[in-house]
Amino acid sequence: MPTTRTRVAIVGAGPAGLLLSHLLAASGIESIVIDKRSRDEIESTIRAGILEQETVRVLTESGASDRVTTVGSRHDGVELRFDGQGHRIDFPSLTGRAVWLYPQHEVLKDLIAARLAGGQDIRFETSALRAEGIDSDRPIVTATTADGEELRIEADFVVGADGSRSVVREAVTGASRVGGYFREYPFAWFGILCEAPPSAHELIYSNSPDGFALISQRSPSVQRMYFQCDPDADPNALSDAQIWETLQARVPGTTLLEGPIFQRDVLRFRSFVAHELRRGRAALVGDAAHTVPPTGAKGMNLAVADVVLLERALRALLLENDERLIDGYAEKALKRIWKAQHFSWWMTSMLHVTADASDFDRLRQLGELRSVVESEAGQTYLAEAYTGWLHEA
Ligand code: DHB
């Protein structure tokens, strides 16, 4: 079997894996990135569009993307809408921070272009089968290439950046297949992309008696919108007219600008945190380590925060033989991960309507929303969490 040697074997060419290879390269640490998907598939998968200020800082300062600030747009607030009224949360006055709207697949295009220009070894259409020997200092990743050949990558360290169906996770968390704390939700999001001008300057998170809707954006002529639906909903079962009727009813008091719908999908909700994030010479980052429900767009931002911590730890381990940071990686990363889990769960439960909600539940939820928008402390918590907690210096 052909064997390749590298310092860090990174499984997964999503935002976490690619950013990690980029930061490691800047410290002179060589890596190989493999992903079972093709480059085209990776660059066209539609995901969320909100980047925290710290995420933007890491992407721009490291030279991974400058389009995030030239093509993306800064958002200084969001609207929470309930009981037929909108309430703006102003980020800069509450936190001194803002967020940027720049879709994740654009970040991926920038990262792939930057990595290939830097001579990074990225193997697309190469599926990891397993990670082994992670308790030794010569861990190995075995994979199958696009032409069906087996490939062995021998490394000093293995990183699982391979998403929610991570192969590396099994080695890190032990025999158990699930290997983590898990929660499901009784609803999903119906997402669309449409050709229309923006309906508002900023994003609208709307709670209505019929359920939640999020009015997001992509560009002056393309918009992204979502509405709460059944997890088993078929994205092709609704006509465009039915989709618009549902969306309009979910943002009472606002009229959405409509246009042709050219993409639709159903996103399932789950919360997950792996029981272990690191064992021996292997660690997990991004969705391999945790999944959050989409409300609040924490997924990629959390991945970037993991990567910043892990890169620092790998630098100390591989360049100075210092194990202290890698030994502290999981504990440090988990503190932010659980805060983000709480925030994503909280935004989700505060804004969505469940089928079994009683009148008490519904009125209590409106009380909760009022407690946030009518209190500077309430607004500040939302703004701090939404714009993201600062990374450690
Ligand atoms: C988007 C997705 C989110 O989950 C969110 O909270 C905000 C924006 C988006 O896709 O634009």
Side-chain angles (χ1 to χ4, degrees):
M1 199 191 296
T3 299
T4 305
R5 246 214 81 71
T6 188
R7 297 216 79 185
V8 183
I10 301 173
V11 182
L18 291 167
L19 180 65
L20 181 63
S21 72
H22 182 75
L23 298 179
L24 287 172
S27 309
I29 300 172
E30 171 235 6
S31 63
I32 295 178
V33 182
I34 65 169
D35 198 294
K36 64 178 175 215
R37 298 166 297 170
S38 67
R39 179 177 179 181
D40 191 48
E41 236 178 305
I42 294 172
E43 291 185 343
S44 57
T45 303
I46 292 167
R47 290 285 177 84
I50 292 291
L51 305 184
E52 294 173 1
Q53 184 153 313
E54 288 280 68
T55 300
V56 171
R57 186 181 59 76
V58 171
L59 291 174
T60 51
E61 282 183 7
S62 70
S65 170
D66 44 31
R67 290 199 318 143
V68 51
T69 51
T70 55
V71 177
S73 54
R74 183 179 138 161
H75 281 234
D76 281 346
V78 290
E79 180 179 289
L80 286 191
R81 175 163 283 274
F82 58 93
D83 222 6
Q85 279 196 323
H87 306 264
R88 182 167 186 269
I89 312 280
D90 183 80
F91 300 147
S93 66
L94 295 160
T95 65
R97 303 200 287 273
V99 295
W100 293 80
L101 186 105
Y102 186 64
Q104 181 168 322
H105 69 272
E106 296 295 338
V107 175
L108 283 165
K109 284 186 201 165
D110 297 346
L111 275 167
I112 290 173
R115 291 319 304 129
L116 292 176
Q120 174 69 43
D121 186 346
I122 310 179
R123 315 275 178 105
F124 297 106
E125 295 175 76
T126 298
S127 305
L129 300 172
R130 58 194 171 269
E132 288 166 309
I134 66 171
D135 292 321
S136 75
D137 54 12
R138 279 276 184 283
I140 291 168
V141 172
T142 309
T144 321
T145 66
D147 3 298
E149 312 225 324
E150 287 225 330
L151 169 71
R152 260 166 67 98
I153 306 172
E154 241 182 55
D156 295 332
F157 203 94
V158 171
V159 176
D162 48 343
S164 55
R165 297 205 180 87
S166 172
V167 167
V168 178
R169 189 164 65 222
E170 266 186 53
V172 174
T173 61
S176 119
R177 275 194 63 74
V178 177
Y181 307 94
F182 184 68
R183 184 182 209 283
E184 267 189 291
Y185 297 79
F187 40 75
W189 279 2
F190 194 114
I192 61 157
L193 281 168
C194 64
E195 280 168 45
S199 294
H201 292 305
E202 293 174 340
L203 272 56
I204 304 174
Y205 288 82
S206 179
N207 167 283
S208 83
D210 297 333
F212 172 73
L214 168 58
I215 311 306
S216 184
Q217 309 170 358
R218 283 296 176 262
S219 72
S221 56
V222 172
Q223 311 311 320
R224 178 78 163 144
M225 304 183 190
Y226 305 91
F227 60 88
Q228 177 185 345
C229 69
D230 193 85
D232 299 317
D234 170 4
N236 297 310
L238 295 185
S239 66
D240 282 21
Q242 286 171 314
I243 292 173
W244 284 117
E245 196 184 326
T246 308
L247 277 166
Q248 297 286 9
R250 298 278 179 99
V251 284
T254 296
T255 303
L256 301 174
L257 302 176
E258 301 184 5
I261 294 169
F262 62 89
Q263 206 273 342
R264 21 165 103 200
D265 49 5
V266 170
L267 281 79
R268 283 173 163 262
F269 274 48
R270 359 171 22 230
S271 299
F272 171 80
V273 180
H275 285 146
E276 317 286 341
L277 301 193
R278 179 253 176 166
R279 193 176 120 192
R281 291 286 184 124
L284 305 175
V285 286
D287 279 5
H290 42 73
T291 309
V292 288
T295 330
K298 280 284 159 266
M300 185 173 100
N301 295 296
L302 211 45
V304 168
D306 294 344
V307 164
V308 167
L309 283 179
L310 185 62
E311 190 272 335
R312 219 175 270 168
L314 289 179
R315 222 187 306 148
L317 179 71
L318 301 177
L319 300 181
E320 289 153 37
N321 220 6
D322 179 348
E323 296 186 350
R324 282 173 300 179
L325 289 181
I326 195 70
D327 285 345
Y329 165 68
E331 191 184 342
K332 208 167 243 180
L334 282 166
K335 286 189 178 143
R336 171 185 296 263
I337 290 165
W338 280 112
K339 286 206 301 191
Q341 285 292 358
H342 170 69
F343 176 69
S344 305
W345 168 88
W346 175 68
M347 284 284 276
T348 300
S349 55
M350 178 168 68
L351 289 161
H352 290 69
V353 175
T354 51
D356 61 357
S358 65
D359 288 346
F360 175 88
D361 297 334
R362 177 85 198 117
L363 292 164
R364 185 210 57 80
Q365 191 179 50
L366 292 174
E368 182 176 9
L369 283 157
R370 272 190 214 294
S371 304
V372 174
V373 302
E374 291 175 6
S375 148
E376 189 173 321
Q379 289 186 38
T380 304
Y381 166 66
L382 193 150
E384 278 177 356
Y386 195 94
T387 58
W389 305 284
L390 297 184
H391 294 180
E392 253 174 46

